[in-house]
Amino acid sequence: MTFLPSRLHWSKLPMYLADGCRSVQTCSAMPDSPVCYLDTRNASASSAEIFASLDVCETIAGIENNVADIQLRMFYQQDAWVLQLPGEKTRVTIDFASGEFTRRLLAPNIMAEAVVRAVRGRAPADAVVRVFDATAGAGRDAMLLAAAGCEVMLCERLPLLAELLAVALSNAQHDPLPELSAAASRCQLLRGVVDSAQLMADWPHAPPEVIYLDPLYQHSQASGKQGLKSSALSNKLMRVLQHIDALYAPRMPKPDPVELMEAALRLAKHKVIVKRPPAAPPLAGLKPASQLSTKTVRFDVYPR
Ligand SMILES: C[S@@+](CC[C@H](N)C(=O)[O-])C[C@H]1O[C@@H](n2cnc3c(N)ncnc32)[C@H](O)[C@@H]1O
């Protein structure tokens, strides 16, 4: 359980957690638990060391194809870690500094992004809104919010994903594009925290204005039965996130979305926003006060 001092300023929280508050709750893994095969050949020694130290990663000399318990492969290419699903060509890089997503981040109409409209609501365009993204995942929503002027703290429970996100944020912070590096600098990833619900229950001092929740849902089920339509890229990304989640299933307790929602509702200063597939039931069965829907996604709004 994460312990935080009772009066700690919002801005000091990431440093506090990075310095000494590292609590990783893990169950002992089953002997045949799936692993991520890690090819460290082109990576820097420090980055390779971090990923190799994770208990879900097994370092290999090359890309092996015929191993039954492979859940995921990771290798380093063109300054980024690439994730590949077994037996598939699908490759995903968690990277804000290249490709279509960068253009979306830097677009002049960033304030029109649905997630931005849901989170910022009627806040004036120049207002700095403090957001806690309790289910950071690949950090895409957090970066959209930061590009729209929010100050975002992020927490991701899966250590492998949290490390990938840390690399992506650090690369974006050092990107030559000033708008991109400024957005990444408004994001602070809380390291060493596993469960956001526990963190929110012990939150030190100033509560975040908005708490943003986007818990993982079963993608195939969601797209088939709950009306989810999404881009090819976000489909691929979600499948990779599900594979990372499956790596940890035998090793970590599953998070409880009801606990997460209750903790968020207790802590948020102004509101909680929950992202859902368009036809999915509301999180924890709680009816939102209002909704913002697009063809691909719905944001449920819970004012405080
Ligand atoms: C659908 S993804 C979020 C995607 C993210 N919004 C984005 O834009 O990339 C959900 C993530 O929340 C994480 N998560 C779920 N419950 C959590 C909890 N209680 N604490 C921290 N992270 C959690 C999962 O591990 C998963 O990576």
Side-chain angles (χ1 to χ4, degrees):
M1 167 102 168
T2 306
F3 174 77
L4 297 166
S6 57
R7 293 187 76 76
L8 184 72
H9 191 267
W10 163 272
S11 63
K12 300 280 190 306
L13 185 57
M15 281 170 278
Y16 177 82
L17 291 164
D19 276 357
C21 183
R22 290 175 181 271
S23 71
V24 177
Q25 276 189 342
T26 51
C27 312
S28 30
M30 312 291 284
D32 57 352
S33 298
V35 287
C36 174
Y37 276 15
L38 188 66
D39 183 347
T40 55
R41 277 177 299 178
N42 303 317
S44 72
S46 57
S47 186
E49 202 179 311
I50 290 175
F51 286 100
S53 72
L54 300 175
D55 68 345
V56 290
C57 289
E58 196 160 292
T59 310
I60 51 164
I63 301 291
E64 293 177 29
N65 280 312
N66 303 317
V67 184
D69 65 350
I70 279 194
Q71 187 69 28
L72 201 64
R73 292 194 192 93
M74 249 175 83
F75 54 94
Y76 200 78
Q77 202 174 54
Q78 292 172 349
D79 297 331
W81 285 102
V82 180
L83 296 137
Q84 187 176 18
L85 299 178
E88 288 189 28
K89 289 197 176 140
T90 299
R91 290 176 175 191
V92 163
T93 308
I94 296 179
D95 180 19
F96 306 117
S98 63
E100 190 200 320
F101 187 68
T102 316
R103 283 191 286 281
R104 200 172 145 197
L105 272 177
L106 304 180
N109 63 345
I110 183 79
M111 292 295 186
E113 285 279 350
V115 65
V116 173
R117 286 190 288 135
V119 167
R120 294 191 62 98
R122 296 207 180 102
D126 59 351
V128 176
V129 177
R130 284 184 299 122
V131 182
F132 176 49
D133 181 349
T135 54
R140 290 162 65 96
D141 290 331
M143 274 295 278
L144 287 168
L145 292 170
C150 299
E151 212 177 86
V152 191
M153 264 187 201
L154 302 82
C155 175
E156 169 50 54
R157 79 180 195 104
L158 306 174
L160 173 60
L161 191 51
E163 288 305 333
L164 286 165
L165 188 50
V167 172
L169 284 171
S170 163
N171 288 347
Q173 274 162 12
H174 295 102
D175 195 88
L177 274 173
E179 298 90 341
L180 186 62
S181 63
S185 304
R186 285 193 282 276
C187 288
Q188 293 185 296
L189 177 65
L190 302 179
R191 313 291 295 278
V193 180
V194 173
D195 194 310
S196 288
Q198 290 178 10
L199 174 63
M200 288 189 283
D202 275 340
W203 193 267
H205 206 54
E209 284 149 2
V210 182
I211 297 180
Y212 181 69
L213 306 179
D214 174 18
L216 208 54
Y217 44 79
Q218 282 306 309
H219 201 55
S220 53
Q221 182 198 358
S223 50
K225 295 185 188 155
Q226 296 170 353
L228 182 78
K229 294 177 195 143
S230 48
S231 69
L233 178 66
S234 73
N235 264 325
K236 273 199 237 174
L237 186 60
M238 280 307 142
R239 288 185 50 229
V240 166
L241 294 195
Q242 277 164 2
H243 276 252
I244 299 179
D245 192 59
L247 285 176
Y248 282 96
R251 299 168 167 92
M252 284 171 88
K254 262 233 164 292
D256 178 355
V258 177
E259 203 184 313
L260 188 69
M261 182 68 173
E262 285 172 356
L265 287 169
R266 273 196 299 272
L267 178 68
K269 191 171 171 198
H270 296 329
K271 62 184 172 182
V272 176
I273 303 291
V274 183
K275 184 179 182 180
R276 304 294 281 163
L283 190 64
L286 288 176
K287 196 167 177 274
S290 61
Q291 296 181 321
L292 191 156
S293 297
T294 72
K295 274 188 208 152
T296 56
V297 76
R298 188 184 86 225
F299 295 95
D300 291 349
V301 183
Y302 300 85
R304 298 291 303 113

